Amino acid sequence: MGGQTGFGPIAADDDGQFFHADWEARVYAVVRTLQRRGVINKEFDNLRDAIERIPPAEYLSLSYYERWLRATEMLLAEKGLLADD
Amino acid sequence: MSGGHGELPVAARVRRLEERLIAAGLVTDDELDEVLAQVFASAAPANGARMVARAWTDPAYRDRLLADGNAAAAELGFGAGSHGYLLKVVENTASVHNMIVCTLCSCYPTALLGPSPSWYKSFAYRSRAVREPRGVLAEFGLELPDDTEIRVWDANSETRYLVLPQRPEAADGMDENALASLVTSNGLIGTAVR
Amino acid sequence: MTRFAAGARVRARCADPEGHTRLPRYARGHVGEVLEIRGTWQLPDQAVRGVSQREPVYAVRFPAAELWGSGSHSVILDMWESYLEEAP
């Protein structure tokens, strides 16, 4: 997204917190744990690849940890690692 | 916070994912809690600030920090995260100002800089920092002289950066703790003077 | 053995690969200068396919005027060797 225009001004304030909802922390923990297990690789490339494969309109509508969640779900489905509901 | 994919609200969707991962034997509750405890316990901007303050008071440490960021972090007991990236420290001078972005995602040395600010992960910062850094810095209230050279470092998973800000002129006689307290996480990213 | 030395002028390839790459669109086709050699690392483009291909990686500095047509700053990016070609 480097160099794209039209995203407007930067909201420069920040509260210094890691997470802004409990579910964000849980998504982070899930991703790091899957990384330890090798499901997500050490360098994070396969999760990053999945994040980039989120359809663009949806990508832009999701928050940072929503993108992590969506990509993790995609990756797990592609690897067939979870039993069907 | 809500919205996104599927019909469940996001918090319920995350719970459902956790349950399925636990059922599949891929994670345990304890492991998830441990990962979070670890990040809260170890990652703080105070770590990066400590390295900066040491570099301001000890020229030999400054040289080591610029030559090998990972080793210099380890000297003070800080690790560079679980995935072993290369830590590059870039030094601001009277004529050069450095700033960090990750245009691709939001790579960031969390262990040393603490939680990455929300704006660092925003589309606005990721898209604009490489194109018009002066405009971006102005939105942070940082106006640099026209002849200051700006270097924008686009980080990635393998290489992450920390800015070594200029030592304040009024810092003579201050000890390392006092100096460290002057350093902010924005200073370590390059969106503040220090 | 590395193909480029510090100070070499290099051009980022114009390739538009399928899938993940660390070669951002904004650098493609543009000329920069090698600042230093970072090391020899796995190419992420292949790693996502489960293939380990190791290559030298260079920190390359691009002037803003080259990337955007104006501006006095510079942008420094890590470039895997296969992203680069010699520039005149």
Side-chain angles (χ1 to χ4, degrees):
Chain A
M1 102 161 5
Q4 284 187 42
T5 56
F7 287 110
I10 291 158
D13 54 320
D14 184 66
D15 60 7
Q17 299 299 307
F18 268 102
F19 306 110
H20 297 90
D22 187 53
W23 68 264
E24 293 187 354
R26 304 309 290 180
V27 169
Y28 177 89
V30 162
V31 165
R32 289 296 176 209
T33 307
L34 290 175
Q35 202 176 10
R36 286 185 184 180
R37 295 291 167 90
V39 173
I40 293 169
N41 69 348
K42 184 166 82 64
E43 296 81 5
F44 224 66
D45 299 322
N46 54 353
L47 188 75
R48 193 172 288 111
D49 179 56
I51 291 171
E52 290 169 7
R53 286 189 285 111
I54 298 171
E58 187 183 351
Y59 179 98
L60 293 173
S61 74
L62 299 178
S63 71
Y64 182 72
Y65 285 110
E66 283 174 338
R67 295 196 292 275
W68 278 34
L69 172 62
R70 178 80 164 93
T72 303
E73 290 171 341
M74 281 165 60
L75 209 56
L76 290 166
E78 287 161 9
K79 288 174 178 277
L81 285 171
L82 293 181
D84 290 334
D85 281 300
Chain B
M1 297 287 175
S2 66
H5 153 85
E7 289 167 10
L8 289 173
V10 66
R13 215 170 108 210
V14 175
R15 259 197 314 279
R16 180 85 193 101
L17 177 65
E18 280 182 70
E19 286 162 8
R20 296 177 74 198
L21 286 166
I22 291 166
L26 285 169
V27 308
T28 65
D29 257 331
D30 286 350
E31 220 174 342
L32 296 175
D33 292 341
E34 184 210 318
V35 164
L36 284 174
Q38 203 182 323
V39 67
F40 285 124
S42 64
N47 298 345
R50 170 73 46 200
M51 292 163 67
V52 166
R54 177 67 56 90
W56 283 346
T57 51
D58 177 350
Y61 183 79
R62 169 198 165 272
D63 294 347
R64 294 198 295 281
L65 183 65
L66 295 175
D68 184 344
N70 299 79
E75 252 187 72
L76 300 189
F78 309 134
S82 53
H83 32 292
Y85 45 78
L86 176 71
L87 178 69
K88 288 296 293 180
V89 179
V90 288
E91 184 182 39
N92 288 349
T93 66
S95 57
V96 174
H97 182 86
N98 296 282
M99 67 188 276
I100 314 303
V101 63
C102 173
T103 60
L104 184 63
C105 37
S106 300
C107 295
Y108 190 80
T110 303
L112 304 173
L113 270 63
S116 62
S118 299
W119 56 258
Y120 187 83
K121 296 179 280 217
S122 71
F123 298 136
Y125 187 76
R126 286 169 51 198
S127 61
R128 293 176 55 207
V130 288
R131 185 168 188 142
E132 34 132 0
R134 277 184 188 275
V136 168
L137 292 176
E139 287 171 31
F140 285 87
L142 181 55
E143 305 269 1
L144 297 170
D146 285 344
D147 58 353
T148 299
E149 179 193 340
I150 298 179
R151 295 182 190 158
V152 183
W153 302 81
D154 192 351
N156 59 52
S157 187
E158 287 80 5
T159 309
R160 304 191 184 194
Y161 297 92
L162 180 152
V163 174
L164 172 56
Q166 278 189 276
R167 185 173 178 276
E169 282 177 17
D172 290 343
M174 289 176 77
D175 69 9
E176 197 178 300
N177 284 332
L179 288 169
S181 71
L182 301 177
V183 181
T184 67
S185 67
N186 284 18
L188 298 168
I189 306 171
T191 55
V193 174
R194 73 183 81 89
Chain C
M1 195 49 206
T2 52
R3 185 172 161 200
F4 305 108
R9 277 166 59 80
V10 288
R11 182 186 297 277
R13 290 185 186 279
C14 277
D16 189 18
E18 284 283 316
H20 179 66
T21 181
R22 299 287 170 74
L23 173 53
R25 285 198 178 82
Y26 74 82
R28 294 177 194 171
H30 292 295
V31 174
E33 180 192 339
V34 173
L35 276 188
E36 62 178 358
I37 296 164
R38 290 276 190 244
T40 300
W41 297 340
Q42 193 162 276
L43 179 67
D45 313 41
Q46 291 295 337
V48 296
R49 300 186 174 88
V51 177
S52 178
Q53 175 181 328
R54 296 176 70 79
E55 290 185 3
V57 179
Y58 306 87
V60 177
R61 181 165 162 187
F62 296 92
E66 165 75 16
L67 295 174
W68 316 112
S70 63
S72 57
H73 63 282
S74 58
V75 177
I76 300 95
L77 264 169
D78 281 358
M79 300 294 260
W80 273 255
E81 192 168 84
S82 59
Y83 298 167
L84 297 173
E85 54 196 22
E86 270 128 34

